[in-house]
Amino acid sequence: MPAGNPPPLVIAEALLVTQDPARRVLRGDVRIDSGRFSQVGGHASREGAEVVDGHRFAVVPGFVNTHAHVAMAPLRGIADDVELDGFLGTLFKVDAKRTEADVEVGARAGVAEMLLGGTTSFLDLYYAEDAVARATDKLGARGFLGWAVLDPDKTTQPRPPLEGAAGFLSRWAGHPTVTPLVAPQGVYVCSRETWLGARELAEKNDTLLHYHLSETRREVHEHEERTGRRPAVWLEEIGFLGPGQVAAHAVWLTGEEIGLLARRKVGVAHCPSSNLKLASGGLAPVVELRAAGVSVGLGTDSVASNNSLSMLREMHLAGLLHKNQRWDASVLRAQELLDLATLEGARLLGREKEIGSIEVGKAADFSLVRLDHPTLLPARPEAIVSHLAYAASEEAIASVWVGGRPVVRDRVLLGADWEKVRSDAELAADTLWASRAG
Ligand SMILES: [Zn+2]
């Protein structure tokens, strides 16, 4: 990302999907100075600004993907049609062969896919996160990047994971768009010491914790056999749960566990595509979690288990699933789905005052969505939120800004040459796909 503030920008006469407290949709200008919205609505001064004609576009807050493994882009389709155990078996084999260079190449492709899909912020869990951080910085996204932490005897990382995480935190502290954090992988590979070590490290560095929780019944059952407790109850008992944490999946929770997450202010990343594809068999209790006061965001998980990084797809699927499951079409309304993909995701990251809506003072992370695209017809203001939640195609997302800086213009990636990103990732895929049998 280039240094210094981006030049002033006005998007003129656009349809503004503000996501402000009143959830206003209005027609007017937005002005951006020093990377932040300085005016929303009305007629803005053009002085010193680049002016973009917005009358055929909606200005939509950048999506916040709250669970991803972006560097896995070259692994899309490598382990389809198997459940989590078989999936992880293949993935661990491939992971053991990965180099920092191919993690970076993969991350570039993944970040590019997200930006082209209107996602401006993402929460990631992987190892060699320095490579992911460099890719994120180069392409201009906002990355919340968790260094995967597991027991030293269970990892393919060259150093003890907690040491690796500590180094990563210190190398990227204070970066404007990369937030380094600590990511214990899950109860199946993390002992009590590992969980508490991760918590201590995050606390010391005043950063977030991100982890997988209760994704499958087997994981819950085996943990219960080992410890006599369900995962969330056990994490509470060892003194792990607390604010500033995002648990991914949370499919198999009891009412008691929902209460624990609410009391400890733990956020949940709901990943419906991944759960369905891996046949997790259940559905995260999103309605109950939200009713209990737990913040819930949407996550794509990786392209090996989704197989897309599209937040539009995730909104659509989440809405349909919960309605059908509960025989109640009124749950997770279009507006709530857009909230999960924007403001609520920002809240999970503790950044709801900074990103997630089009409001004066917030960072200018947004997309221009084509109102003349077939999937947005009729482009009526009262239907725009519905179209975003249920109908819009990724192809309608024309241009994307992060912190007032353009990262996609007319569907062209600006931070890198897509052809180079693509061919590098194809080359990495050649090696990685060959290693899955070995
Ligand atoms: Zn995951």
Side-chain angles (χ1 to χ4, degrees), residues 67-69 125 212 215 248-249 301-302:
H67 183 58
H69 313 276
L125 186 161
H212 295 116
E215 179 176 357
H249 302 302
D301 214 349
S302 82

